[in-house]
Amino acid sequence: MQAIIHQWAFEGSFSQLASLPRQELVNDWYGYDVDPVAEFAFATDGQNLWFLAARQKPATIHPDARPGQFQAELWKYDLAEWFIAAGSGKNYWEFNLAPNGAWWACAFEDVRRADEKIPAPLAVETDFCTDENGWCVMAKIPLADLRGIDIRDCKLATTFILETPDQIFLTTADDLSGEPDFHRPASFSSPILK
């Protein structure tokens, strides 16, 4: 499934991001229906990559996750993620976003091999709303911090881990063979810039 990246000719905002049409992930890794669906949207204003994820069901959030703060191991609980890879080469980024706006990011120089020379983005901003009916979380990441990536020549996969502790795995990536594994940059699709 190709992700759509909406292109804005103006400086973006969380309210503009929230008003975009959303794509849906309706099946998990094994092809089972997901109810309710997971929703996502991407945009760029030329300076930042904007990401929205939402679901109409309460989430289980990492107990140490604080809104807007960097937090490792968010994947052990419910979250949305994206992976963005260079159009050619082996480098890619992973970005995790908890339903309360906590985040984590890492550059990789090859599959599951972190690039220790590249720090996590410095100026990530997040916004979120959660209630008994579900959650919506958004992030703004400076494109300049995503070293090695050109938004006009990249491959992208959106992923979710949901239903903690009985986790289910959702992805837009093409290769769903074997056990869930999101670190398959060869299976990411080129996004549609719209």
Side-chain angles (χ1 to χ4, degrees):
M1 172 183 192
Q2 287 181 285
I4 296 169
I5 301 178
H6 298 270
Q7 296 184 91
W8 292 326
F10 46 81
E11 186 176 342
S13 70
F14 286 126
S15 62
Q16 292 162 337
L17 181 61
S19 71
L20 288 176
R22 298 175 186 178
Q23 293 182 265
E24 296 179 344
L25 280 172
V26 300
N27 301 105
D28 72 3
W29 185 274
Y30 300 106
Y32 295 109
D33 291 346
V34 174
D35 185 29
V37 300
E39 302 174 324
F40 68 94
F42 287 96
T44 184
D45 56 14
Q47 300 298 313
N48 303 289
L49 180 62
W50 299 78
F51 175 59
L52 174 146
R55 190 167 191 230
Q56 293 304 307
K57 185 173 183 178
T60 304
I61 300 170
H62 190 298
D64 296 328
R66 301 293 172 258
Q69 300 298 308
F70 186 89
Q71 176 63 53
E73 298 186 335
L74 290 174
W75 56 270
K76 291 183 175 182
Y77 297 85
D78 293 4
L79 82 157
E81 303 173 293
W82 51 258
F83 291 77
I84 192 166
S88 59
K90 298 180 178 183
N91 61 304
Y92 65 97
W93 279 86
E94 176 183 356
F95 186 86
N96 296 181
L97 188 59
N100 72 346
W103 64 277
W104 176 86
C106 184
F108 291 85
E109 59 186 353
D110 204 343
V111 176
R112 293 192 179 276
R113 193 166 68 215
D115 189 335
E116 304 294 337
K117 300 178 298 295
I118 300 178
L122 298 175
V124 173
E125 296 177 32
T126 66
D127 194 14
F128 71 98
C129 61
T130 59
D131 60 30
E132 66 279 353
N133 298 316
W135 51 274
C136 179
V137 63
M138 296 175 281
K140 170 185 164 186
I141 304 96
L143 288 171
D145 285 356
L146 298 177
R147 289 194 228 160
I149 301 297
D150 180 346
I151 199 76
R152 297 162 303 198
D153 181 23
C154 68
K155 295 182 285 181
L156 182 65
T158 307
T159 64
F160 287 81
I161 298 175
L162 303 169
E163 308 288 337
T164 302
D166 301 318
Q167 292 183 327
I168 61 172
F169 305 88
L170 292 68
T171 183
T172 61
D174 296 330
D175 181 4
L176 301 181
S177 62
E179 292 301 309
D181 179 3
F182 297 147
H183 289 263
R184 297 179 180 179
S187 72
F188 304 167
S189 299
S190 297
I192 299 168
L193 295 172
K194 187 172 176 177

